[in-house]
Amino acid sequence: MSNQKNDLAQTGRPVLDVRNLAVSLAGNPSAKVVSDVSFTVHPGETVCVVGESGSGKSVTAFSIMGLLSREALHCSGGRIELDGENVLEADKERLRALRATRMAMIFQEPMTALNPVETVGEQIDEVLRIHKRMGRKARREKVMEMLEAVHLPEPERIYSSYPHQLSGGQRQRVVICIALILEPRLLIADEPTTALDVTTQKQILLLIRELQEKHNTAVLFITHDFGVVADIADRVVVMNRGEVVEVGTREQILSAPDKDYTRMLVSSVPSLVPEAREAHDGDIVLSVKGLGKVYAQKRFLGARREVAAAVDVDLTVRRGEILGVVGESGSGKSTVARCIVRLQDPTQGEVVVCGENIAAARGSALLSVRKRIQMVFQDPFRSLNPRLTVGESIIEGLTNFGVARAQALRRAGELMGLVGLPADALKRYPHQFSGGQRQRICIARALALEPDVLVADEAVSALDVSVQAQVLELLDDIRRKTGVGVLFITHDLRVAAQICDTIMVMQKGKIVEFGPAADVLTSPKQPYTRLLLEAAPGRHWDFQNFRPLPL
Amino acid sequence: MFSYVIKRAVATLPVMAMVAVVVFAMLRLTPGDPAAILAGDDASGAQLEAIRRSMGLDQPIMVQLYVWMKQLAQGDLGVSLLSGTPVLEMIGGRIGPTLSLAVLTILLTIVVAIPMGVVAARNPGGLLDRTVMTFSVLGFSIPTFVIGYLLIYAMALKLGWFPVQGYSSVDKGLWPFFQRLVLPTLALSGIYIALVARMTRSSVIDVMGEDFIRTARAKGAKETSVLLRHALRNAAVPIVTVIGIGVASLITGVVVTESVFNLPGLGRLVVEAVLARDYPVIQGLILLFSFTYVLINLAVDILYTVFDPRIRY
Amino acid sequence: MSNNTIQGELLAEPAARAPTRGDRSSLAAQMLLSLRSVPVFLAFVVLTVVSLLAVFAPFLIRADPIAIDPLQRFAGVSAEHWLGNDAFGRDVYSRLLFGARVSLIVGLGAAAASLVVGLIIGVVAGYIRFADTFIMRVMDGIMAIPSILLAIALVSLTGASLVTVLVAITVPEIPRVVRLVRSIILNVRSEAYVEAAISLGTPTYRLLIRHMVPNTVAPLIVQGTFIFASAILTEATLSFLGAGLPTEIPSWGNMMADGRMYFQLYPSLVLYPGIILAFTLLSVNILGDVLRDVLDPKMAKRT
C-alpha cells in the first residue's frame, strides 16, 4: 500500500481528478448548480477551493463523497476519479466501501456532526467495525491510538464521553479521528474551522497538516477565508456561481491573479494592520462604568449557580468614534452590547448615553432614551420582519416617536439614498434583497431616529468578504457624515483593524487590553492579545497589495 | 440522575393538585345539587337540608375543598351515592378488564407502530410511506366506536370468529379471555397506532436530516444501520413522549370501547355513574384516570435519561 | 428536509421564511395544485357535499327528522324513506342530513371558541412572565384530565344542551392552543426583528399585534382544522355514550346510540351514521394535512 503510494507520487498521478463535473437540480438537468469544474489533488498536497456563498464549492465537495441528497441534486456530467476510479459510476456498495477507507470528510459544524446519544469511542469504533475485521480489543487499542494522535487529553475519558461533554475544538478532533483512522488517500475538509474561534482554528489547521504529512494524504480544503488559504494552500481553485474562475498555485493566486474576480476577492480581505487614525476629541456620547452582568441559574436541590458574563466593564465612545470590542465566543462582548442597548438588564454599573444613565431606566424613561442608541444585528435574514415592507420597517421608529407617516416616509427615502439603495426599495419585502442589501436596510432603520450611538453586533460577520468590504465602507462613511459614535462588536481582527479607531479586547467577561487600534494590533501588550493576533490566519500576507508582509 | 428523578416526581405534585382543584371546582361550582339527587324527586325542603348538612355541603366552599383534599390525601375517594359502596372498592372490582385491554393495546401499538413508522421514514414519499400514512390518517379519522361496530359486524356477526360482546376473566381460562379481548384491542389500538406510527415516521425523518447522519454516511455505514442505529435511537425521545401523551386518547378509547363491547371495566363504570349522576364515583374515576396519565408521563420523563445522555443532572 | 448535505451553499438564504403578502397568491396556487392528488380531491368533494347537505338540509329532507311514527318502526328502504326508518319510526335519511348540521355547528363553534380563547391566554402567558407559571400550571391540570371525561362530567353536571356540549368540547381543547401560541410567542420574542423593534421604542401592544401575533395565524388555522375534526368526533362520542346532546336532537352520535340496542338485527342504523361520520372526519383530516403542508411547513415536518 505505502509503496504504491510513493510510486503514484513519483509518477505524479493525482489522487483526485475532477473533470468537467456538472451538478444539476434533480429532475431538471438544465438547471446547473455547478458546471464544468475540473481540478486535481495530488498526494501530500493541499488544494483549497475558495469562493463566496453560492459558489458551488461545498456542492463539489459533497459530489466527490457521493453525499449529495438524491432528492435535491445529482451529478449530471463529467468524471470524478479517485485513484483512477470514477466514483460517479460506482454503485452504492462500492461507494460505501470507498468512504473512510480511501476518501473521508470533515465538516463545518463540529457541534452537530456527532451523534449525541452515542459515546465518542463508539462512534470512532463504528468505522473500524464497518470496514475492518478486528477483535474488540484490537479496535479499542486502535481508537486509543488515534485519540492520542489527534492530541486529545485523557483518551480513556474521552473514549467514554458523549459529544456534549466536549468543547467545539475537541469535537472537531474527534471528527478528524473518524475521518483519518483508516488513513484514507483523500481528505475533504468542508470549512472545518469556520465555526471555531481563531485560537482553536489554528490548532486544528496544525493538526490537519501534521496528520497529512504523516500519511502523505491529499487534502481538499473548502473555505471562504483567504487568510486560511494563505496559510495552508499549495494550490488554489477559485470558484464563483458554480464555475471555476481560476486555478493556480498559492503564490499565483495571492500575488498575481489572472482574473478580475479573483483580484476583487483577494483585495477585499481587510488588512490586519490598521491605518494610523487621529484621536477623536468630540463629546462623549456613550460612557459605561463598572458594567456587570451575572446570570443566575436556580438549581433544584443545590445552591444558585452564578455565571458572570461581563465583569466591571468600562468604556467610552466619543462623537464620530468607532470603538471595536474584540473577543472570542464566550468573551462577553455581545452581552455588553445587549446590556448597553438595554435588550438585557445589566446587574451592575452605569450606562450613560448623552449624560443620562439608562442602566436602570424603565417604562417611558427607557422608551424616550431608546432613540438615542440603536442597534444593528448580526443576521440580516432575521432582523427584518418578513411580513412588513422595507418602508414599514424603517419608519417604525419614527412613527413610534410621533412623526407623521408621510414625513417619516420622506425621511426613509433619504435614508435609502444614504445607504446606497434605490428609493423604490421601500415598497418591497425583505426576501427580495440579498444579505448585504438587508444589512444596509437595517443600518438605515437604525439611523432613522438619528441616534447618537450605534451598536453593531457582529454586523458584517454573516456577509461574504466582498459584501463585507462594502458595508464596512458604508459604516465608515456614515459616521463621518452623521457623527454617530459606533460600538462595533466583532470576533474578526481584520474587520476591527479596518474600521475601528480604538479597540478593546475582551476575554471571559473582562477587558484584557484597551487602546488605539494601531497600538493594540501592532504592538499588543497583553499575552492574550498577542495570542489572538498570532492565531489570525494569513497574517504574513498583505492581501490588498498582493504581496507578503515582512513579519 | 437521582436528583433528576426526584425533581420530575416533585414537579408532578402541583399538576395533580391542580387536577384535584379543577375536578372539585367543576363538581361544586356547576349548577346541579348532589343532595337533590340523593334525596330523590319528592324530598321535602327539610330533608334536603339535612342531607346537605350530612354531606358537608352547607360549609363554605374553601372548607369543603380542604376537607375533600384531606380525604383525598389519605386515599379516601368517598362512597357511591347510590350503592353506598366505597368508590375505591368499586374501582378495584372493575379494574381487571380495563387493565387487560390497556396493556394489550399498548403492547400491540409498540410492536406494530414503531416498525411502521421506521419503514415509512426509510423512503419518504415512496409507496410504503404513502401506505403507512394512509393507514395513519384512517386510524385518526375513524372513531373507535365505528371501528368497533365494523369489527363486530364483519368478524363476529358475518364471520362468526369471535363472540360479539362480553368479557371473561383470566381465571376462567386463557383462551376465552383473549378471544373476547381481540376485537376490543384492535378497535382501541387504531388511533394509538396511527399516532405513534406518525410520530415515529416524522421524528426519524427529522433526525435523518441532521448533520451526524451525514457523518455516519461518510463513514460508509449501511443505510439500515444509519436508520436504526443513528436515526431511531435519536428519535426515541419524541416517540416515547407521544406514547405517553397518547395515553390520554387511550383512556377516551377505553371508555368508548368498553361500551361498544360491553366490557365491565372502569370505562363502563364512568358511563354508568354519569347516567346515574353518582358524583363521588365520577370524581373518583376522573382523578384515577388523570393521575394515571400524570404518572405514566412521569415514567416517560424518567425514561428520557435512558435514551438521551444529555438529560442527566 | 434532506438538503442538509448541501449546507449553506445552495440554500445561501436560510431566511426565516414566513408567508408574506408577496407569497400569498402562490399559497392559493399550491393549494389548488394539491387538489390534483386523488385522495385530496375526494376529501374536498366529500366535505363540500356534506357542507351543502347540512346548509340546505331543510329543503332536502323527506320527512320531519324528529317525527315519531310507531307504525313505521324499522321500516325498510322505500321510495318514501330512502334509507328506511329507525326504532321510533323516524326517517333515517332526514336525520342524517340534520346530523351533518349539528356536526358542522359543533365543529365550527368549538374551533372558533378555542382558538380565540387560547390565543388570548397564550399571548398573555408567552409575554407576561409572572402570569406564565400560573397559567401553564392550570393548563397542565386541565390537560392531565382526559378530555372525554372532562366533557362527560361537564355535560352531565350542567345538563345536556347544545351550549353545554360546546363548552364541554371547547374547554379541553384550549390548553393545546395556549401551548402552541405561547411557544410561538416565546420563540418570536428572541427573533432579531422583534429585538430591533424593541430598540426602536415600539410599545408592547404594537409589538404584539404587528410583530408577534401574525406568526401564530398560520399555525392556528391549521390547528383549527384539527380541532374542528376532534370536536365533531367528541360530540359524536359524547352522544353515543348518552352524555351528549339531548336525545331528541338528530346528531350522528345520538343516532348510533339509539341504534346500538338493535345492532345485531339492524346494523345499518349504527353503520350509516358511523360511516358518514368517519368519511367526514377523514376528509377534514386530509385537508388539514394539506393546509399544514402549505401554510406551516415547519410544523408539518414535526408531526
Side-chain angles (χ1 to χ4, degrees):
Chain A
M1 180 77 194
S2 66
N3 277 336
Q4 195 191 357
K5 204 190 294 173
N6 290 334
D7 291 347
L8 287 174
Q10 279 153 16
T11 57
R13 185 170 156 198
V15 175
L16 178 71
D17 186 353
V18 178
R19 261 179 274 159
N20 310 322
L21 175 70
V23 181
S24 313
L25 291 179
N28 184 5
S30 59
K32 294 229 165 82
V33 176
V34 161
S35 58
D36 206 20
V37 167
S38 304
F39 58 86
T40 56
V41 189
H42 291 264
E45 185 186 37
T46 300
V47 172
C48 281
V49 178
V50 61
E52 300 193 305
S53 51
S55 63
K57 55 189 193 301
S58 286
V59 172
T60 306
F62 281 108
S63 306
I64 299 165
M65 286 295 283
L67 285 174
L68 289 179
S69 76
R70 262 171 295 152
E71 303 96 272
L73 294 170
H74 83 288
C75 297
S76 51
R79 299 172 69 77
I80 296 175
E81 286 185 1
L82 183 68
D83 282 337
E85 179 181 356
N86 186 357
V87 297
L88 290 181
E89 281 166 3
D91 63 11
K92 262 194 201 163
E93 280 304 300
R94 181 64 191 150
L95 209 50
R96 281 207 311 103
L98 289 175
R99 290 178 189 157
T101 59
R102 306 284 285 284
M103 55 180 178
M105 189 157 183
I106 51 182
F107 306 95
Q108 178 167 3
E109 260 304 334
M111 306 314 270
T112 52
L114 292 169
N115 185 340
V117 306
E118 256 185 24
T119 63
V120 161
E122 284 174 281
Q123 297 188 52
I124 304 172
D125 184 55
E126 192 187 2
V127 183
L128 299 176
R129 292 221 304 233
I130 294 169
H131 297 285
K132 294 273 170 196
R133 289 169 177 275
M134 287 167 79
R136 195 209 261 234
K137 228 181 120 191
R139 290 202 316 262
R140 196 180 158 94
E141 264 170 35
K142 177 87 180 142
V143 173
M144 287 302 171
E145 226 172 78
M146 197 63 206
L147 285 172
E148 263 170 56
V150 299
H151 311 302
L152 278 165
E154 301 176 70
E156 289 285 341
R157 184 180 61 83
I158 300 276
Y159 187 97
S160 48
S161 298
Y162 288 95
H164 71 274
Q165 295 164 323
L166 307 182
S167 71
Q170 287 175 324
R171 288 189 218 189
Q172 199 60 296
R173 284 171 197 269
V174 172
V175 176
I176 292 173
C177 271
I178 290 173
L180 295 183
I181 192 165
L182 293 177
E183 298 174 22
R185 304 260 291 136
L186 171 70
L187 174 69
I188 301 170
D190 180 29
E191 304 253 14
T193 56
T194 305
L196 304 172
D197 282 325
V198 270
T199 47
T200 319
Q201 160 167 290
K202 189 181 177 193
Q203 294 162 4
I204 296 289
L205 291 178
L206 283 174
L207 174 66
I208 293 175
R209 168 54 48 99
E210 176 191 334
L211 294 172
Q212 173 185 28
E213 276 168 6
K214 204 149 116 198
H215 304 295
N216 203 26
T217 317
V219 173
L220 180 67
F221 198 102
I222 315 293
T223 184
H224 67 282
D225 186 341
F226 270 99
V228 171
V229 172
D231 277 354
I232 67 164
D234 294 314
R235 287 191 305 131
V236 183
V237 178
V238 182
M239 285 187 72
N240 184 32
R241 302 191 177 182
E243 289 179 22
V244 172
V245 176
E246 181 166 7
V247 182
T249 62
R250 172 177 56 180
E251 274 62 37
Q252 278 169 352
I253 298 288
L254 293 183
S255 54
D258 253 354
K259 300 283 188 315
D260 290 345
Y261 179 76
T262 314
R263 283 194 88 78
M264 184 277 290
L265 218 52
V266 173
S267 62
S268 298
V269 180
S271 164
L272 256 180
V273 184
E275 296 164 27
R277 291 169 190 267
E278 286 168 36
H280 288 262
D281 50 4
D283 305 336
I284 291 178
V285 283
L286 172 70
S287 144
V288 172
K289 285 196 197 82
L291 183 79
K293 174 71 186 175
V294 176
Y295 293 103
Q297 270 182 328
K298 261 190 235 159
R299 300 197 73 192
F300 182 74
L301 298 182
R304 264 160 54 116
R305 198 171 63 167
E306 295 193 336
V307 182
V311 183
D312 204 15
V313 173
D314 295 326
L315 57 88
T316 54
V317 177
R318 287 173 188 278
R319 192 162 294 284
E321 178 185 352
I322 300 185
L323 167 64
V325 181
V326 175
E328 298 188 296
S329 54
S331 63
K333 57 190 191 304
S334 279
T335 304
V336 170
R338 295 171 60 82
C339 283
I340 290 173
V341 291
R342 286 296 309 278
L343 284 171
Q344 281 178 359
D345 298 334
T347 42
Q348 254 181 355
E350 286 179 14
V351 176
V352 180
V353 180
C354 298
E356 197 173 337
N357 183 7
I358 64 163
R362 307 223 150 264
S364 58
L366 181 59
L367 274 190
S368 68
V369 83
R370 286 233 185 258
K371 69 191 227 188
R372 298 225 170 125
I373 182 159
Q374 284 296 309
M375 184 149 175
V376 178
F377 296 83
Q378 172 170 9
D379 187 345
F381 293 96
R382 305 197 131 194
S383 45
L384 290 167
N385 187 340
R387 287 186 177 77
L388 300 182
T389 60
V390 166
E392 288 296 326
S393 286
I394 291 181
I395 65 169
E396 179 160 15
L398 289 168
T399 46
N400 284 341
F401 287 96
V403 177
R405 241 186 100 78
Q407 198 186 337
L409 277 171
R410 220 174 305 130
R411 171 91 182 111
E414 292 164 24
L415 285 164
M416 287 284 101
L418 184 66
V419 299
L421 286 173
D424 69 346
L426 291 178
K427 295 195 189 73
R428 289 191 270 156
Y429 287 90
H431 71 264
Q432 295 166 292
F433 296 90
S434 70
Q437 289 171 324
R438 286 191 214 194
Q439 208 58 306
R440 286 168 190 268
I441 294 167
C442 292
I443 292 171
R445 174 177 60 187
L447 292 176
L449 288 171
E450 298 176 14
D452 299 295
V453 183
L454 191 62
V455 177
D457 186 8
E458 299 278 10
V460 298
S461 305
L463 306 175
D464 284 322
V465 263
S466 56
V467 185
Q468 195 173 59
Q470 295 161 11
V471 174
L472 287 177
E473 216 165 285
L474 173 69
L475 271 176
D476 202 32
D477 190 39
I478 280 169
R479 68 96 175 248
R480 223 165 271 142
K481 280 186 189 153
T482 63
V484 65
V486 181
L487 187 67
F488 192 91
I489 315 292
T490 184
H491 70 281
D492 188 336
L493 290 176
R494 290 181 180 279
V495 169
Q498 173 88 349
I499 193 171
C500 299
D501 302 311
T502 35
I503 285 182
M504 188 173 110
V505 181
M506 284 189 74
Q507 183 196 21
K508 293 178 184 160
K510 293 189 183 120
I511 299 175
V512 176
E513 187 161 356
F514 175 79
D519 295 357
V520 173
L521 293 178
T522 50
S523 50
K525 294 191 183 55
Q526 299 300 320
Y528 179 71
T529 315
R530 232 170 283 143
L531 196 71
L532 276 185
L533 269 171
E534 275 160 22
R539 65 198 196 95
H540 61 279
W541 201 268
D542 180 352
F543 293 92
Q544 279 149 332
N545 299 309
F546 303 100
R547 64 180 185 209
L549 278 173
L551 275 183
Chain B
M1 171 72 189
F2 177 71
S3 92
Y4 172 81
V5 172
I6 298 278
K7 188 177 162 182
R8 302 310 311 174
V10 169
T12 62
L13 292 177
V15 177
M16 297 217 255
M18 192 51 77
V19 169
V21 171
V22 170
V23 169
F24 175 85
M26 195 167 66
L27 288 159
R28 297 298 152 92
L29 299 181
T30 45
D33 185 352
I37 293 162
L38 191 61
D41 286 342
D42 34 44
S44 70
Q47 277 173 312
L48 213 58
E49 211 41 56
I51 292 173
R52 230 175 241 147
R53 201 167 309 129
S54 75
M55 291 173 74
L57 295 177
D58 55 339
Q59 302 283 332
I61 193 83
M62 291 320 275
V63 176
Q64 287 187 45
L65 177 63
Y66 170 74
V67 171
W68 186 69
M69 292 283 260
K70 210 168 98 181
Q71 286 175 349
L72 201 61
Q74 293 161 349
D76 179 4
L77 291 175
V79 294
S80 160
L81 288 184
L82 294 181
S83 59
T85 327
V87 174
L88 219 50
E89 205 172 289
M90 292 175 83
I91 290 173
R94 303 285 285 263
I95 203 166
T98 306
L99 212 56
S100 320
L101 183 57
V103 169
L104 281 179
T105 304
I106 293 178
L107 288 181
L108 181 68
T109 300
I110 291 174
V111 171
V112 173
I114 294 178
M116 263 172 74
V118 173
V119 164
R122 205 190 151 96
N123 182 12
L127 184 67
L128 273 172
D129 180 35
R130 277 179 290 158
T131 314
V132 167
M133 286 305 277
T134 307
F135 182 85
S136 140
V137 177
L138 284 174
F140 270 120
S141 305
I142 309 181
T144 311
F145 49 98
V146 176
I147 301 183
Y149 278 115
L150 286 173
L151 285 173
I152 294 178
Y153 183 72
M155 311 275 254
L157 291 180
K158 290 287 164 191
L159 295 170
W161 291 353
F162 299 100
V164 175
Q165 287 175 324
Y167 176 73
S168 164
S169 69
V170 194
D171 38 280
K172 290 197 191 110
L174 219 53
W175 173 238
F177 169 75
F178 277 119
Q179 208 186 12
R180 283 172 176 77
L181 279 176
V182 170
L183 294 185
T185 305
L186 285 179
L188 182 53
S189 49
I191 188 168
Y192 206 25
I193 290 177
L195 192 69
V196 176
R198 212 176 153 120
M199 183 51 95
T200 306
R201 171 188 178 273
S202 68
S203 339
V204 170
I205 290 178
D206 244 17
V207 177
M208 289 297 275
E210 298 275 348
D211 285 354
F212 61 81
I213 294 293
R214 193 181 53 194
T215 311
R217 288 192 176 129
K219 286 178 190 173
K222 287 206 177 73
E223 209 48 23
T224 321
S225 143
V226 170
L227 201 63
L228 296 179
R229 175 172 174 173
H230 295 283
L232 186 58
R233 259 184 82 179
N234 273 282
V237 165
I239 296 173
V240 263
T241 307
V242 86
I243 290 177
I245 292 172
V247 168
S249 47
L250 187 69
I251 291 170
T252 304
V254 162
V255 176
V256 174
T257 312
E258 289 184 3
S259 288
V260 172
F261 290 93
N262 238 334
L263 301 176
L266 296 175
R268 276 301 302 156
L269 187 59
V270 172
V271 177
E272 287 163 18
V274 164
L275 296 180
R277 301 208 169 185
D278 196 339
Y279 287 65
V281 181
I282 302 178
Q283 232 172 31
L285 285 170
I286 293 183
L287 287 175
L288 175 75
F289 278 127
S290 309
F291 288 177
T292 309
Y293 175 75
V294 172
L295 290 178
I296 285 179
N297 282 289
L298 171 64
V300 164
D301 269 5
I302 293 169
L303 258 185
Y304 286 171
T305 57
V306 177
F307 292 112
D308 193 338
R310 284 167 295 185
I311 308 175
R312 223 170 254 173
Y313 302 13
Chain C
M1 58 199 66
S2 36
N3 287 337
N4 66 304
T5 42
I6 350 169
Q7 277 302 62
E9 289 266 308
L10 241 199
L11 318 163
E13 301 195 1
R17 281 226 173 264
T20 63
R21 261 171 238 175
D23 290 346
R24 226 167 254 175
S25 56
S26 76
L27 279 185
Q30 271 187 62
M31 278 191 231
L32 278 181
L33 212 64
S34 62
L35 283 181
R36 290 199 311 195
S37 125
V38 177
V40 176
F41 181 74
L42 289 179
F44 182 73
V45 170
V46 168
L47 200 63
T48 313
V49 169
V50 170
S51 314
L52 288 176
L53 290 180
V55 171
F56 296 107
F59 309 104
L60 296 172
I61 53 173
R62 310 280 301 164
D64 183 347
I66 53 172
I68 295 174
D69 187 352
L71 295 176
Q72 292 281 317
R73 296 181 69 204
F74 306 117
V77 175
S78 64
E80 207 165 320
H81 302 292
W82 289 358
L83 296 175
N85 282 356
D86 71 0
F88 296 92
R90 295 174 296 200
D91 182 48
V92 171
Y93 163 76
S94 308
R95 288 177 73 72
L96 279 179
L97 291 199
F98 264 86
R101 262 189 156 197
V102 173
S103 289
L104 291 194
I105 291 172
V106 169
L108 288 175
S114 50
L115 289 188
V116 170
V117 178
L119 175 63
I120 295 169
I121 302 180
V123 167
V124 171
Y127 200 79
I128 303 174
R129 222 168 283 169
F130 66 83
D132 187 30
T133 327
F134 175 73
I135 291 177
M136 292 324 285
R137 274 287 132 72
V138 176
M139 293 301 142
D140 284 348
I142 298 178
M143 284 239 278
I145 304 175
S147 57
I148 198 80
L149 295 181
L150 191 59
I152 290 181
L154 282 172
V155 172
S156 70
L157 288 168
T158 50
S161 78
L162 189 57
V163 175
T164 49
V165 167
L166 260 178
V167 172
I169 293 173
T170 304
V171 170
E173 296 286 353
I174 290 174
R176 265 177 281 274
V177 182
V178 171
R179 285 197 141 188
L180 177 67
V181 172
R182 173 179 175 269
S183 73
I184 293 170
I185 297 285
L186 284 179
N187 271 330
V188 179
R189 232 181 124 141
S190 56
E191 280 288 335
Y193 68 81
V194 171
E195 297 199 324
I198 294 174
S199 30
L200 289 171
T202 306
T204 306
Y205 71 93
R206 278 245 286 283
L207 210 58
L208 285 171
I209 291 170
R210 212 168 180 215
H211 297 290
M212 299 170 90
V213 172
N215 288 290
T216 66
V217 172
L220 281 185
I221 290 174
V222 174
Q223 182 83 354
T225 63
F226 294 117
I227 296 177
F228 179 75
S230 125
I232 291 177
L233 175 60
T234 310
E235 181 276 316
T237 308
L238 287 175
S239 300
F240 171 77
L241 292 174
L245 293 169
T247 45
E248 67 275 10
I249 293 184
S251 89
W252 293 336
N254 274 339
M255 292 176 72
M256 294 184 74
D258 292 340
R260 272 173 70 186
M261 290 208 292
Y262 318 101
F263 181 69
Q264 303 209 21
L265 291 171
Y266 305 101
S268 62
L269 291 181
V270 170
L271 294 185
Y272 283 159
I275 288 168
I276 292 202
L277 173 64
F279 271 109
T280 308
L281 294 174
L282 189 59
S283 306
V284 177
N285 282 332
I286 289 176
L287 294 176
D289 278 351
V290 170
L291 210 58
R292 175 170 58 184
D293 290 347
V294 175
L295 282 180
D296 196 4
K298 233 193 286 168
M299 188 165 112
K301 237 176 75 179
R302 217 163 297 143
T303 35

